[in-house]
């Protein structure tokens, strides 16, 4: 699978090393707080930064990488649209609310009962036999 370092860093194709450093720093800061998942993604970010620095000497001549629009505004969603539809409000049907509330209360009671049984079981000691 081909990976594009510009996509990984979230910068336009052909961006400078300085722009890559800024993007790397911003993304790395938030990833460090995520634990193991963040470390894996940080490895990808480091690879992308290294690729921009070492492997892509002349971005204008690099034909092996797919390119995305260089205009960051192309990715901004402002308002509702195909990829961000408004929520659909369904009309309430008679009896739905009462039945749902009753089922929720029963489920909560069962869960609480399991919790109480587990607490009691933790306090019970088996006599040596």
């Amino acid at each position: 699978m081909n990976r594009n370092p510009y996509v990984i860093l979230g910068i336009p194709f052909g961006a400078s090393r300085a722009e890559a450093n800024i993007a790397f720093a911003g993304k790395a800061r938030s990833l460090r707080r995520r634990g193991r998942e963040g470390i894996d993604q940080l490895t990808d970010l480091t690879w992308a930064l290294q690729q921009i620095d070492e492997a892509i000497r002349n971005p204008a001549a690099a034909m092996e990488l797919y390119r995305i629009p260089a205009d960051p505004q192309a990715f901004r969603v402002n308002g509702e649209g195909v990829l961000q539809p408004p929520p659909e409000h369904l009309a309430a049907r008679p009896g739905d609310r009462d039945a749902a509330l009753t089922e929720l209360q029963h489920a909560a009671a069962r869960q609480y009962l399991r919790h109480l049984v587990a607490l009691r079981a933790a306090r019970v000691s088996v006599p040596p036999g």
Side-chain angles (χ1 to χ4, degrees), residues 2-53:
N2 291 336
R3 298 188 306 166
N4 187 326
Y6 295 102
V7 173
I8 291 171
L9 289 170
I11 55 177
F13 182 82
S16 69
R17 172 58 190 235
E19 291 171 298
N21 284 340
I22 292 169
F24 177 88
K27 289 185 177 245
R29 204 172 301 120
S30 66
L31 288 177
R32 287 191 181 104
R33 297 183 203 116
R34 289 189 183 173
R36 180 69 189 152
E37 177 190 341
I39 291 171
D40 292 342
Q41 291 178 355
L42 190 58
T43 302
D44 286 343
L45 286 177
T46 304
W47 172 85
L49 190 61
Q50 184 271 336
Q51 288 294 302
I52 289 173
D53 195 36

Side-chain angles (χ1 to χ4, degrees), residues 84-98:
Q84 190 177 9
E88 293 181 27
H89 298 284
L90 301 175
R93 291 182 287 186
D96 281 354
R97 291 180 189 165
D98 294 335

Side-chain angles (χ1 to χ4, degrees), residues 108-124:
R110 285 189 299 270
Q111 185 176 0
Y112 185 61
L113 182 59
R114 278 190 215 103
H115 174 71
L116 291 176
V117 168
L119 285 176
R120 180 72 177 147
R123 284 193 244 150
V124 173

